[in-house]
Amino acid sequence: MTTTKYFSLMRSTVSFSRKSRAWLYAGVLAITGMTSLSSCSEYDLDEETPDNWGSSIYSYLAEHGQYRNMVSIINDISSTPGELDYKTILSKTGSKTLFVANDDAFDRFFKNNSWGVSSYKDLSLAQKKMLLFGSMINNSFQLNYLCNTEGNVKGVAMRRLSGLSVYDSIPRLTPDQLPENIYWQHLKDQPFVYCFKDLTRIPMIYFMQSFLDNNKITDDDYNFLYNYKTARQPGETSINGMKVVEEDIRCSNGFINRTEEVMTPLNNMAEIVATHPETTQWSKLLERFSAPDSSESASTKLGLNWPTEKAYQKRYFSEWSQNGFTFNTTAGGSIIDPSCLLTFDPGWNEFYSGTHTSPDVELQRNMALLMAPTDQALDEYWNNGEGKILKERYQTWENVPDNVVAELINNNMQKYLTSCVPSKFGTMLNSSNDPLNIQKSDVKEVVLGNNGAVYLTNKVFAPTSFISVLFPVITFIDNYRIMEYALKNRRYDALLNSLTSTYSLFVPSSNAVLQYVDPCSYAKPELEMLRFHWDYNAKEPYASVHKYDPLSMTVGDSIDVKRGYWGLQWRLEYLLRDHIVVGDVTDGHEYYRTLGNSIIRVNNADKGENGMTVEGTYQMNDEMSQISISKVYQQENGNTYILDSEPILGTRQSVKKIIDATPEFEEFGRLLEATGLIENNYKEKTCGDNYINAFNSYQYTVYIPTNESIRELINSGQLIDPDVMEQMKESGADISADSLRLVNFVKYHLQDYALVIGAENTSSDYETAMIDQSTGGFVRLNVTADSNNITIKDKRGNVRHVLTNDEFLYNRFAREYIYPGKNAADAGDIETNSSAVIHQIDGPLIFW
């Protein structure tokens, strides 16, 4: 077992005035001058001593005979050359709060401690500083005030920064003591490295009655946190786990509180895991994400010749790190992939989770939780539990990619310890917002740190993504990096990790996303194809743009590159939504509705990898091709289907275009044209083709009566002929009544919700685009759909049927796009789109 060597920096060389607080917030640590936001007294004890207060802190300790060890510590530090004279400081006016144990407690400490010291003379200067400054707050507080925060908000605090400086014990690490990952390799050729566990200040933690009451933490919860080695009584206070047995000993320059046992500084969560004998494997996984972060200020304080000589702090690549910022840049300037970041930095002493108030206040209010499976639990998970799939895929933990390990660790991270005590286990959620289902019996041991608690668990809490349809995407990320980015960037991972629904996720591979016909080019003279690539430096996708001839299927050279939010992100979201079906596509139907409101057709679903195919409306209408399923993964909440040739695409045909190309739809097309419902520009936007303005970013069914039935309505005078109406309009005749009936007739044939023959069976009332003038609501149709037909009952009681003798007259799919700007030829993004299915029916729907 290796031993880390520490030395102590003289406090006189790093003393700061109160004006240095801006540096403190930036992470440069001061030793003295910490000013609290709420104090116990109206007096500034640096300037004035209240009447009738007792002797100084030092005098009290020296005069009461039972604190010889603490007095010796103060004397030894004060007599060390270069150190501040704390004997004088604690003897005169000032503002300090000190937690101190008596000599009997020190006798017990020397008989049993983790430092390996058996008597006072064994203590190093660094250890003496830990015992003094780790038990000190640089302001004067009555004990009950420690629970309050800025503005005298009562009973909400559980942590406060101690007087201990990271410079009081400076680790000097040899190469064999550095973590084993690529980010530390450049330091391995040095004989030693000055590397701090963290360069933020070290808090102490405390539990008081008002805090426990306000956060609904029970005495049993408290005893659980201390492994039931305590039997908390109402009103008790503990500091760093040590019970306060004598409170608020009033001195001229502050307060003394006597603790039952000797109080030592707590490690942070990362160090707890790294040093615990039962979490060696979890520590190895955690250390993958550690990296050295050089500090100019620390190097200067140590007298190093910056930048050729550097001191470092150990940090963890994470979304939430020091000062509330992401830490994702290596020493060489490379950006860490977002999928390889931890939720928060477990080594950050000053961790805080909230953003509602100042960082100081948020630090005081809470701390985090890291669950760490024991070595035995991790072995069981890997060899016999749900982790067997990982073992089969990667053989060893070392081969498991960082993004998969990050997913596992993040599922075991919680930002708010106050929500993670046993009385609240029933409401704890995992990283996918599913119930964590943790029990007391799952926790073998609890170790409290300065920035959070570590629960040593006897089981592995694997993320939902390991059993959800997302798992293949995460596991084989190199082949599905574009889709993985889109899923997480657009926050669809939480949806697809849900175990309360069933999903069919189609995933185009890195080859398939090279074949994306850009919907923004549907209104341009030439189609364009986007070929998505991954930028390994920027850690984001980009797309090269190519001219595309759909007839010869020829792809030209790159003519442009698209990146960023407006250039690419919305396309990725549309692509993603068209590949997600809420439901099981193997349930025996042929057509399914995607999350993007488009329709896909699934063939031979029972054959899986040996013949199953899928088509988007582009493949059905435009390419007349099928996409083979190359791989199927059966997961807990559905199936994942891999597409290797091309992605699912939406058609470029509008309703008007399909009607114009189909002679059997001619009469309805004339009526539609005459209603004014067709537009080329819509609400100051441009349309990719003719757009039905009754559509509004949804899915619709268009029922088209036969030509003969429409002509019969016109000939019988029930509908005006559009040509006659135009002539009457030109002559100045009043056509308002005829025009309204014509518009309503067409709208009555436009129904919300796309019903497809061969899709799910349904029978319900569906709204049309027609408004009932008497009620202001939309007029409804009663519709029944099954695998063979659709029947529609209108307001008058007529029952109409979809004609299925000709496949070109039903299940015709359209998609209508709206683009930003005035000119569709310049479209670079999608504003919105609507999907529709067209059916010919055997007679008109009558509302009059």
Side-chain angles (χ1 to χ4, degrees), residues 55-62 90 96 98 251-256:
S55 57
S56 70
I57 291 175
Y58 182 82
S59 297
Y60 179 89
L61 296 175
L90 295 176
K96 305 293 180 185
L98 188 64
C251 300
S252 61
N253 54 351
F255 290 94
I256 295 173

Side-chain angles (χ1 to χ4, degrees), residues 394-410:
Y394 299 111
Q395 306 302 315
T396 67
W397 275 112
E398 288 73 21
N399 293 335
V400 180
D402 286 348
N403 70 292
V404 178
V405 174
E407 194 91 9
L408 176 61
I409 293 175
N410 289 341

Side-chain angles (χ1 to χ4, degrees), residues 168-185:
D168 286 332
S169 56
I170 302 170
R172 194 171 73 171
L173 304 181
T174 55
D176 62 301
Q177 294 174 306
L178 298 176
E180 293 293 337
N181 69 40
I182 59 173
Y183 310 113
W184 295 86
Q185 287 304 311

